[in-house]
Short mmCIF file of all heavy atoms in Angstrom, two decimals:
data_model
loop_
_atom_site.label_atom_id
_atom_site.label_comp_id
_atom_site.label_asym_id
_atom_site.label_seq_id
_atom_site.Cartn_x
_atom_site.Cartn_y
_atom_site.Cartn_z
N LEU U 1136 77.66 71.00 129.66
CA LEU U 1136 76.69 71.70 130.50
C LEU U 1136 75.78 70.69 131.20
O LEU U 1136 75.44 70.85 132.37
CB LEU U 1136 75.82 72.62 129.63
CG LEU U 1136 76.43 73.98 129.27
CD1 LEU U 1136 75.42 74.76 128.42
CD2 LEU U 1136 76.74 74.78 130.52
N GLN U 1137 75.41 69.64 130.44
CA GLN U 1137 74.55 68.61 131.02
C GLN U 1137 75.22 67.96 132.21
O GLN U 1137 74.58 67.67 133.22
CB GLN U 1137 74.24 67.57 129.95
CG GLN U 1137 72.97 66.79 130.21
CD GLN U 1137 72.67 65.89 129.03
OE1 GLN U 1137 73.57 65.52 128.28
NE2 GLN U 1137 71.42 65.53 128.84
N SER U 1138 76.53 67.72 132.11
CA SER U 1138 77.21 67.04 133.21
C SER U 1138 77.24 67.91 134.45
O SER U 1138 77.25 67.42 135.56
CB SER U 1138 78.62 66.64 132.79
OG SER U 1138 79.38 67.80 132.51
N ILE U 1139 77.26 69.25 134.23
CA ILE U 1139 77.19 70.12 135.41
C ILE U 1139 75.75 70.19 135.90
O ILE U 1139 75.47 70.35 137.09
CB ILE U 1139 77.68 71.54 135.08
CG1 ILE U 1139 79.11 71.51 134.53
CG2 ILE U 1139 77.67 72.39 136.33
CD1 ILE U 1139 79.64 72.86 134.20
N GLY U 1140 74.79 70.06 134.96
CA GLY U 1140 73.39 70.14 135.35
C GLY U 1140 72.75 71.43 134.89
O GLY U 1140 71.72 71.84 135.39
N LEU U 1141 73.38 72.11 133.91
CA LEU U 1141 72.84 73.38 133.44
C LEU U 1141 72.28 73.23 132.04
O LEU U 1141 72.33 74.15 131.24
CB LEU U 1141 73.95 74.43 133.43
CG LEU U 1141 74.51 74.80 134.80
CD1 LEU U 1141 75.77 75.63 134.64
CD2 LEU U 1141 73.48 75.59 135.60
N HIS U 1142 71.77 72.07 131.72
CA HIS U 1142 71.32 71.82 130.35
C HIS U 1142 70.17 72.71 129.96
O HIS U 1142 70.06 73.08 128.78
CB HIS U 1142 70.91 70.35 130.22
CG HIS U 1142 70.68 69.94 128.80
ND1 HIS U 1142 71.65 70.04 127.84
CD2 HIS U 1142 69.59 69.45 128.18
CE1 HIS U 1142 71.18 69.61 126.68
NE2 HIS U 1142 69.91 69.25 126.85
N HIS U 1143 69.34 73.08 130.91
CA HIS U 1143 68.17 73.90 130.57
C HIS U 1143 68.59 75.25 130.01
O HIS U 1143 67.86 75.89 129.28
CB HIS U 1143 67.29 74.08 131.81
CG HIS U 1143 68.05 74.62 132.98
ND1 HIS U 1143 68.82 73.81 133.80
CD2 HIS U 1143 68.20 75.87 133.44
CE1 HIS U 1143 69.37 74.55 134.73
NE2 HIS U 1143 69.01 75.82 134.54
N LEU U 1144 69.84 75.68 130.35
CA LEU U 1144 70.31 76.98 129.85
C LEU U 1144 70.35 76.99 128.32
O LEU U 1144 69.86 77.90 127.69
CB LEU U 1144 71.72 77.26 130.39
CG LEU U 1144 71.82 78.03 131.70
CD1 LEU U 1144 73.27 78.20 132.08
CD2 LEU U 1144 71.13 79.37 131.63
N SER U 1145 70.94 75.93 127.77
CA SER U 1145 71.12 75.94 126.32
C SER U 1145 69.79 75.78 125.62
O SER U 1145 69.60 76.28 124.52
CB SER U 1145 72.09 74.84 125.91
OG SER U 1145 71.54 73.59 126.24
N GLU U 1146 68.82 75.07 126.24
CA GLU U 1146 67.55 74.86 125.56
C GLU U 1146 66.71 76.12 125.56
O GLU U 1146 66.02 76.42 124.60
CB GLU U 1146 66.77 73.74 126.25
CG GLU U 1146 67.18 72.38 125.73
CD GLU U 1146 66.12 71.33 126.08
OE1 GLU U 1146 65.17 71.64 126.82
OE2 GLU U 1146 66.26 70.21 125.59
N ASP U 1147 66.79 76.88 126.67
CA ASP U 1147 65.91 78.05 126.78
C ASP U 1147 66.34 79.18 125.86
O ASP U 1147 65.52 79.83 125.24
CB ASP U 1147 65.92 78.57 128.23
CG ASP U 1147 64.97 77.75 129.09
OD1 ASP U 1147 64.16 77.01 128.51
OD2 ASP U 1147 65.06 77.88 130.32
N SER U 1148 67.62 79.41 125.81
CA SER U 1148 68.08 80.60 125.06
C SER U 1148 67.98 80.37 123.56
O SER U 1148 67.96 79.24 123.08
CB SER U 1148 69.52 80.92 125.43
OG SER U 1148 70.32 79.78 125.22
N ASP U 1149 67.90 81.47 122.80
CA ASP U 1149 67.80 81.37 121.34
C ASP U 1149 69.19 81.28 120.75
O ASP U 1149 69.64 82.20 120.08
CB ASP U 1149 67.10 82.62 120.79
CG ASP U 1149 65.69 82.73 121.32
OD1 ASP U 1149 65.11 81.68 121.61
OD2 ASP U 1149 65.21 83.87 121.45
N ILE U 1150 69.83 80.18 121.02
CA ILE U 1150 71.20 80.07 120.48
C ILE U 1150 71.11 79.77 119.00
O ILE U 1150 70.51 78.79 118.57
CB ILE U 1150 71.98 78.96 121.21
CG1 ILE U 1150 72.43 79.48 122.57
CG2 ILE U 1150 73.18 78.55 120.42
CD1 ILE U 1150 73.35 78.55 123.29
N LEU U 1151 71.74 80.64 118.22
CA LEU U 1151 71.91 80.33 116.80
C LEU U 1151 72.99 79.26 116.69
O LEU U 1151 73.96 79.30 117.43
CB LEU U 1151 72.35 81.56 116.03
CG LEU U 1151 71.32 82.68 115.87
CD1 LEU U 1151 72.01 83.92 115.36
CD2 LEU U 1151 70.23 82.23 114.92
N PRO U 1152 72.84 78.33 115.76
CA PRO U 1152 73.91 77.36 115.60
C PRO U 1152 75.21 78.06 115.18
O PRO U 1152 75.26 78.68 114.12
CB PRO U 1152 73.41 76.42 114.51
CG PRO U 1152 72.24 77.08 113.91
CD PRO U 1152 71.73 78.11 114.83
N SER U 1153 76.21 77.96 116.07
CA SER U 1153 77.42 78.76 115.83
C SER U 1153 78.17 78.29 114.59
O SER U 1153 78.85 79.08 113.93
CB SER U 1153 78.34 78.71 117.04
OG SER U 1153 78.79 77.38 117.22
N GLY U 1154 78.01 77.01 114.24
CA GLY U 1154 78.69 76.48 113.06
C GLY U 1154 78.20 77.17 111.80
O GLY U 1154 78.99 77.64 110.97
N ASP U 1155 76.86 77.25 111.64
CA ASP U 1155 76.31 77.90 110.45
C ASP U 1155 76.72 79.36 110.39
O ASP U 1155 77.08 79.87 109.33
CB ASP U 1155 74.78 77.82 110.47
CG ASP U 1155 74.29 76.39 110.41
OD1 ASP U 1155 75.14 75.50 110.22
OD2 ASP U 1155 73.09 76.18 110.57
N PHE U 1156 76.66 80.00 111.57
CA PHE U 1156 77.00 81.41 111.63
C PHE U 1156 78.45 81.63 111.21
O PHE U 1156 78.75 82.53 110.40
CB PHE U 1156 76.77 81.89 113.07
CG PHE U 1156 77.07 83.33 113.28
CD1 PHE U 1156 76.38 84.30 112.59
CD2 PHE U 1156 78.04 83.72 114.18
CE1 PHE U 1156 76.65 85.63 112.78
CE2 PHE U 1156 78.30 85.05 114.38
CZ PHE U 1156 77.62 86.01 113.70
N ALA U 1157 79.34 80.78 111.72
CA ALA U 1157 80.75 80.92 111.36
C ALA U 1157 80.98 80.65 109.88
O ALA U 1157 81.77 81.34 109.22
CB ALA U 1157 81.60 79.98 112.19
N ALA U 1158 80.25 79.64 109.34
CA ALA U 1158 80.43 79.31 107.92
C ALA U 1158 80.01 80.49 107.05
O ALA U 1158 80.70 80.86 106.09
CB ALA U 1158 79.62 78.07 107.56
N LEU U 1159 78.85 81.09 107.38
CA LEU U 1159 78.40 82.25 106.59
C LEU U 1159 79.33 83.43 106.75
O LEU U 1159 79.61 84.16 105.80
CB LEU U 1159 76.99 82.62 106.99
CG LEU U 1159 75.94 81.66 106.51
CD1 LEU U 1159 74.57 82.14 106.95
CD2 LEU U 1159 75.97 81.54 105.01
N LEU U 1160 79.84 83.62 107.99
CA LEU U 1160 80.79 84.71 108.22
C LEU U 1160 82.04 84.53 107.35
O LEU U 1160 82.55 85.47 106.76
CB LEU U 1160 81.17 84.73 109.70
CG LEU U 1160 81.94 85.94 110.21
CD1 LEU U 1160 81.12 87.18 110.01
CD2 LEU U 1160 82.26 85.74 111.67
N TYR U 1161 82.49 83.28 107.27
CA TYR U 1161 83.67 83.01 106.44
C TYR U 1161 83.37 83.26 104.97
O TYR U 1161 84.17 83.89 104.26
CB TYR U 1161 84.12 81.57 106.64
CG TYR U 1161 85.34 81.19 105.83
CD1 TYR U 1161 86.61 81.61 106.22
CD2 TYR U 1161 85.23 80.45 104.67
CE1 TYR U 1161 87.72 81.30 105.47
CE2 TYR U 1161 86.34 80.13 103.92
CZ TYR U 1161 87.58 80.56 104.33
OH TYR U 1161 88.68 80.25 103.58
N LEU U 1162 82.20 82.80 104.50
CA LEU U 1162 81.93 82.93 103.07
C LEU U 1162 81.70 84.38 102.66
O LEU U 1162 82.07 84.78 101.57
CB LEU U 1162 80.69 82.11 102.69
CG LEU U 1162 80.94 80.63 102.45
CD1 LEU U 1162 79.63 79.95 102.14
CD2 LEU U 1162 81.91 80.42 101.31
N TRP U 1163 81.05 85.18 103.53
CA TRP U 1163 80.71 86.54 103.14
C TRP U 1163 81.70 87.58 103.59
O TRP U 1163 81.50 88.76 103.32
CB TRP U 1163 79.32 86.89 103.66
CG TRP U 1163 78.27 86.31 102.77
CD1 TRP U 1163 77.65 85.12 102.92
CD2 TRP U 1163 77.74 86.90 101.59
NE1 TRP U 1163 76.76 84.91 101.91
CE2 TRP U 1163 76.79 86.00 101.08
CE3 TRP U 1163 77.95 88.09 100.92
CZ2 TRP U 1163 76.07 86.25 99.91
CZ3 TRP U 1163 77.23 88.35 99.77
CH2 TRP U 1163 76.30 87.43 99.27
N ASN U 1164 82.77 87.17 104.22
CA ASN U 1164 83.82 88.10 104.60
C ASN U 1164 84.45 88.67 103.32
O ASN U 1164 84.88 87.91 102.46
CB ASN U 1164 84.87 87.34 105.41
CG ASN U 1164 85.87 88.25 106.06
OD1 ASN U 1164 85.88 89.44 105.82
ND2 ASN U 1164 86.72 87.66 106.88
N PRO U 1165 84.53 90.01 103.19
CA PRO U 1165 85.12 90.55 101.96
C PRO U 1165 86.55 90.09 101.74
O PRO U 1165 87.00 89.94 100.61
CB PRO U 1165 85.07 92.07 102.18
CG PRO U 1165 84.20 92.30 103.32
CD PRO U 1165 84.00 91.04 104.07
N PHE U 1166 87.29 89.86 102.83
CA PHE U 1166 88.66 89.39 102.69
C PHE U 1166 88.70 88.03 102.00
O PHE U 1166 89.54 87.77 101.15
CB PHE U 1166 89.34 89.29 104.06
CG PHE U 1166 89.75 90.60 104.63
CD1 PHE U 1166 90.21 90.68 105.93
CD2 PHE U 1166 89.70 91.76 103.89
CE1 PHE U 1166 90.61 91.89 106.47
CE2 PHE U 1166 90.09 92.98 104.41
CZ PHE U 1166 90.55 93.04 105.71
N THR U 1167 87.77 87.14 102.39
CA THR U 1167 87.75 85.82 101.76
C THR U 1167 87.41 85.93 100.29
O THR U 1167 88.02 85.26 99.45
CB THR U 1167 86.72 84.91 102.43
OG1 THR U 1167 86.60 85.25 103.78
CG2 THR U 1167 87.09 83.46 102.27
N ILE U 1168 86.42 86.77 99.98
CA ILE U 1168 86.00 86.91 98.59
C ILE U 1168 87.16 87.45 97.75
O ILE U 1168 87.46 86.96 96.66
CB ILE U 1168 84.78 87.83 98.48
CG1 ILE U 1168 83.61 87.20 99.21
CG2 ILE U 1168 84.42 88.09 97.04
CD1 ILE U 1168 82.38 88.04 99.22
N VAL U 1169 87.84 88.46 98.31
CA VAL U 1169 88.96 89.05 97.58
C VAL U 1169 90.07 88.03 97.40
O VAL U 1169 90.67 87.93 96.32
CB VAL U 1169 89.44 90.31 98.33
CG1 VAL U 1169 90.86 90.62 98.01
CG2 VAL U 1169 88.56 91.47 98.01
N ALA U 1170 90.35 87.24 98.44
CA ALA U 1170 91.43 86.25 98.32
C ALA U 1170 91.05 85.15 97.33
O ALA U 1170 91.90 84.63 96.62
CB ALA U 1170 91.72 85.63 99.68
N CYS U 1171 89.77 84.81 97.27
CA CYS U 1171 89.35 83.76 96.34
C CYS U 1171 89.42 84.26 94.91
O CYS U 1171 89.97 83.59 94.03
CB CYS U 1171 87.93 83.32 96.68
SG CYS U 1171 87.24 82.19 95.50
#
Side-chain angles (χ1 to χ4, degrees):
Chain U
L1136 279 180
Q1137 203 174 24
S1138 64
I1139 303 180
L1141 295 168
H1142 191 59
H1143 54 278
L1144 269 179
S1145 63
E1146 275 198 353
D1147 279 346
S1148 55
D1149 298 331
I1150 282 188
L1151 290 167
S1153 64
D1155 298 352
F1156 181 61
L1159 287 181
L1160 191 60
Y1161 180 77
L1162 277 178
W1163 280 93
N1164 190 353
F1166 284 172
T1167 329
I1168 296 178
V1169 156
C1171 173

